[in-house]
Amino acid sequence: MNVTDREYALELDRKDPLAHFKSQFVVTDPEMCYLDGNSLGRIPKATITAVNDFLGEWGAEVVTGWGHWVDEAQPTGDLLGAAALGAGPGQVLVCDTTSVNFYQLCLAAVHARPGRKTIITDAANFPTDRYILDGIAKQFGLNLVIIDNENPAIATHERITTQILAPYLNDDVALVTLEVIQYRSGARTDIKSITDQVRAIGALVVWDASHAVGAIELNLDANGVDLCVGCTYKYGNSGPGSPAWLYVSKKIQSELQVPIQGWFAQDAQFEMGAVFERAQNIRGFQIASPSLVGIRCVQTAFSMIKDAGIDAIAHKAAVGTQMMIDLYDAWLAPLGMELNTSRNAKERGGHISLVHPDAAQICVALRQISNVIPDYRTPNSIRLAISPLPTSFVEVWDGFARMRDLVASGQYKEIKESGSRVT
Ligand SMILES: *Cc1c(COP(=O)(O)O)cnc(C)c1O
């Protein structure tokens, strides 16, 4: 059967072992094609119950609730680590935001390599990561190298490791930090080979897996990763502003000290002693009181990911993005769009990126005219995702068919500004 036949997508849905998960999410408009699960996942129905239950729990238990709430960042971290990170227990915390966790781990890494003055990242990295590194470099007089790899050529593993990174590695480097999946292009980085390469020069890597977690298998333990952070609201479906996570491998926990020495990191926390003595386990990386409402959202969403199995999720992301690329070849390339993501499934995650000079207008028109939710990234990218649990193949197929019609008709040109500060 041909991919341009809608039956092709319906058949993929019939064979999809994860198809039944879609009905476990809130979908208020069944006609909408929601292709932005890489920015904000849909809400699981179970989350509504879990949050309500928690509010009752708070009401009934008030302060005594802290007796068990106090440690929830750790078991929730273990759940997230087992479900999505390939991480054994005692190495993951669910806490704070990605930005805060990134700051904490990057600075801990830099201070663990005294005398070295260079931090490396790339221009493709997410803004908050680049801005935080800029702040760290200024504050501590370090040299921040931002590798310029944001040209139109597709970032393959080969390009990122041997051509892009290697020339910058030397014994002045303390820290290298990259995204596992680049937010704009959708390019996936080979975390094992880069971790090995950077370890060989005595430096540390902090990975940001925000666009990868819940879409692909990360195997952090098996890949020998030391440090990693990520959010929970993209493919993690845990809700806007839900707490993020950090991973610190057991083999390195005792060597690192994060800059914010909060009371939750204190070994004998409730003795409230005069001197800071860090807990020697993963709690030594926690700052403060966990957000319980948010943590319950993470628990329900990552329990679903655990039930589904990250391998099955990654497989669906690979098949779904392949279908998108095949539809792009058939329908969108002839309309002047350019694919900016690798054709090798191992070099991408759950989203692809299409480039078009009118991308901004097309994205607004997709929402206003076609009832398709894509994601625009300045200056010219349209990102389109399949979030494996809440999205069906036919939803993606319909979204692409509507985009083809919209672009072919030129109707999007009538659309003006969206008026929103958020793109
Ligand atoms: C989404 C994302 C973030 C978000 O940071 P917050 O602190 O949660 O606002 C950070 N880094 C990357 C790579 C992301 O994709």
Side-chain angles (χ1 to χ4, degrees):
M1 203 185 306
N2 199 300
V3 69
T4 55
D5 190 340
R6 192 167 187 267
E7 189 54 33
Y8 181 95
L10 291 168
E11 178 63 14
L12 285 179
D13 281 328
R14 280 192 291 271
K15 288 191 307 201
D16 175 14
L18 305 181
H20 62 285
F21 278 97
K22 182 166 177 175
S23 65
Q24 297 177 31
F25 287 83
V26 175
V27 176
T28 53
D29 176 3
E31 295 304 310
M32 178 197 280
C33 300
Y34 189 70
L35 307 185
D36 202 8
N38 59 313
S39 270
L40 184 68
R42 287 188 134 134
I43 178 172
K45 291 174 182 167
T47 297
I48 297 174
T49 317
V51 168
N52 269 309
D53 288 351
F54 173 71
L55 299 179
E57 200 176 302
W58 167 20
E61 299 182 29
V62 276
V63 76
T64 52
W66 274 121
H68 59 104
W69 298 331
V70 71
D71 288 323
E72 266 189 54
Q74 294 167 65
T76 312
D78 288 347
L79 166 71
L80 188 149
L85 307 183
Q91 304 178 104
V92 182
L93 284 177
V94 171
C95 59
D96 303 298
T97 62
T98 314
S99 300
V100 168
N101 294 340
F102 181 76
Y103 175 78
Q104 289 269 81
L105 295 194
C106 284
L107 208 43
V110 164
H111 287 154
R113 294 293 180 269
R116 294 183 176 224
K117 294 257 172 241
T118 300
I119 300 174
I120 298 177
T121 190
D122 65 1
N125 205 342
F126 195 79
T128 203
D129 301 48
R130 287 183 280 110
Y131 303 158
I132 287 168
L133 293 171
D134 180 59
I136 289 175
K138 281 187 186 133
Q139 190 182 354
F140 295 93
L142 305 172
N143 170 29
L144 175 61
V145 176
I146 300 181
I147 300 173
D148 182 14
N149 65 349
E150 271 216 307
N151 55 43
I154 289 169
T156 59
H157 284 169
E158 165 67 15
R159 281 197 64 234
I160 295 174
T161 46
T162 51
Q163 294 173 24
I164 296 181
L165 188 60
Y168 294 90
L169 296 181
N170 58 53
D171 63 10
D172 191 52
V173 177
L175 169 68
V176 174
T177 175
L178 298 166
E179 284 174 284
V180 176
I181 291 183
Q182 292 177 3
Y183 78 102
R184 202 174 350 220
S185 72
R188 186 195 313 196
T189 309
D190 182 345
I191 57 178
K192 178 161 181 6
S193 78
I194 288 192
T195 299
D196 290 347
Q197 209 178 346
V198 172
R199 184 176 292 127
I201 58 148
L204 287 164
V205 186
V206 173
W207 288 106
D208 189 331
S210 292
H211 267 86
V213 59
I216 60 164
E217 66 293 345
L218 285 159
N219 296 325
L220 296 184
D221 287 352
N223 284 322
V225 168
D226 291 310
L227 299 162
C228 190
V229 298
C231 71
T232 58
Y233 48 76
K234 291 169 179 160
Y235 298 101
N237 304 320
S238 302
S242 54
W245 53 271
L246 58 82
Y247 165 94
V248 183
S249 162
K250 273 200 170 144
K251 53 184 200 293
I252 202 173
Q253 286 178 4
S254 63
E255 290 172 45
L256 298 182
Q257 176 57 58
V258 291
I260 305 178
Q261 296 186 168
W263 71 307
F264 268 64
Q266 175 75 348
D267 191 21
Q269 186 184 357
F270 288 90
E271 287 180 15
M272 314 228 161
V275 181
F276 177 73
E277 281 173 68
R278 183 165 72 83
Q280 287 306 302
N281 59 12
I282 191 69
R283 185 160 61 77
F285 296 83
Q286 188 169 351
I287 301 174
S289 308
S291 158
L292 268 298
V293 176
I295 277 187
R296 296 298 169 90
C297 296
V298 173
Q299 286 171 6
T300 50
F302 279 85
S303 297
M304 289 169 84
I305 290 174
K306 192 168 183 211
D307 292 346
I310 195 67
D311 290 347
I313 287 173
H315 178 72
K316 183 166 176 180
V319 173
T321 47
Q322 184 59 52
M323 184 182 75
M324 291 187 207
I325 291 171
D326 293 341
L327 291 172
Y328 156 82
D329 285 333
W331 291 339
L332 303 171
L335 295 173
M337 288 197 168
E338 258 181 71
L339 176 67
N340 191 30
T341 309
S342 175
R343 288 173 181 272
N344 175 353
K346 290 277 165 232
E347 292 175 348
R348 59 177 195 258
H351 78 275
I352 68 162
S353 166
L354 300 179
V355 172
H356 189 282
D358 299 332
Q361 253 183 322
I362 292 171
C363 284
V364 176
L366 277 169
R367 289 176 189 227
Q368 291 186 5
I369 301 174
S370 315
N371 202 13
V372 177
I373 311 294
D375 187 286
Y376 169 67
R377 281 294 170 259
T378 180
N380 56 9
S381 303
I382 305 172
R383 301 187 306 176
L384 301 148
I386 177 161
S387 185
L389 298 185
T391 319
S392 63
F393 288 103
V394 79
E395 185 176 354
V396 173
W397 194 98
D398 286 345
F400 270 62
R402 291 182 208 172
M403 182 156 64
R404 171 204 59 197
D405 293 345
L406 180 82
V407 178
S409 71
Q411 212 192 343
Y412 70 86
K413 293 190 175 131
E414 296 157 18
I415 293 287
K416 295 281 174 290
E417 297 272 300
S418 77
S420 170
R421 195 170 78 80
V422 182
T423 62

